[in-house]
Amino acid sequence: MNKYKETIYQALRLIFGALVLAALLAYADYRWMEPNRTPPCDPSKLSEGHICLTTVLKQWGYSKIVWIDARNQDAFERGTVKNGQVLSIRNDEKAADLLAKALPVLHQAGIDDKCIVVFCDRSCNAASEIAEMLKGFQLQAPIYILEGGWDEIRKNPSLAS
């Protein structure tokens, strides 16, 4: 009889330990991992001028997108879009030079029936600033801000480098 009691207590300790471990893992996921996840993109909930990655790829395809990477230089050098035409335009000391090099390509995008997609990462607001600046140049190509930015691009292995 004592053997059965001991076995039951041991099983209860294991179950309790597993529950405590599961609770700790759930808390860690909620506390540290959840803020780093991007929610699924819902086109019906987007602000004017924003677009989901799946939507832009479906409508335009890789070859008809001119990507504007608005992240800082360090982030750009660590990796960017590998499919399609990529330009770096950001608000820093080189902004005027980068924009001067990019404008002919962006004007050509409208002629070639392409779209312009501006993205940043979750820690910057540069995508909307750059998109507004580009709209001031009366480009013929539609200009979108990628919802989820670099985080969404990174999830697509055929797109991120």
Side-chain angles (χ1 to χ4, degrees):
M1 189 76 160
N2 277 343
K3 261 188 170 177
Y4 291 117
K5 271 187 177 180
E6 190 175 318
T7 305
I8 290 172
Y9 286 136
Q10 193 172 22
L12 288 174
R13 279 194 297 260
L14 284 173
I15 291 170
F16 180 74
L19 289 174
V20 169
L21 181 61
L24 287 173
L25 289 173
Y27 176 76
D29 180 59
Y30 169 77
R31 178 72 172 91
W32 292 289
M33 303 303 262
E34 183 66 28
N36 296 321
R37 292 189 192 126
T38 54
C41 189
D42 182 355
S44 66
K45 295 181 180 178
L46 296 181
S47 304
E48 179 80 24
H50 287 242
I51 196 164
C52 296
L53 182 61
T54 54
T55 305
V56 76
L57 291 175
K58 190 184 306 179
Q59 287 180 355
W60 298 90
Y62 293 111
S63 64
K64 292 286 189 176
I65 301 171
V66 177
W67 299 96
I68 304 294
D69 191 335
R71 298 174 303 148
N72 65 39
Q73 182 65 29
D74 291 339
F76 179 76
E77 288 174 359
R78 281 194 306 268
T80 191
V81 177
K82 66 180 178 183
N83 282 327
Q85 203 165 17
V86 184
L87 303 168
S88 175
I89 301 176
R90 56 191 179 278
N91 290 331
D92 65 6
E93 66 279 352
K94 295 183 180 182
D97 292 337
L98 293 170
L99 186 59
K101 290 177 185 174
L103 277 176
V105 174
L106 298 175
H107 281 292
Q108 187 64 37
I111 296 167
D112 293 343
D113 194 32
K114 294 182 178 181
C115 74
I116 298 167
V117 178
V118 185
F119 69 91
C120 199
D121 55 28
R122 78 172 55 233
S123 65
C124 78
N125 297 325
S128 56
E129 295 169 8
I130 299 297
E132 284 303 312
M133 180 185 64
L134 293 176
K135 289 176 184 174
F137 289 102
Q138 303 298 313
L139 301 171
Q140 293 176 350
I143 300 170
Y144 301 107
I145 299 167
L146 183 63
E147 190 69 21
W150 176 244
D151 292 336
E152 283 300 307
I153 292 170
R154 259 193 352 216
K155 290 179 187 178
N156 188 331
S158 65
L159 195 55
S161 64

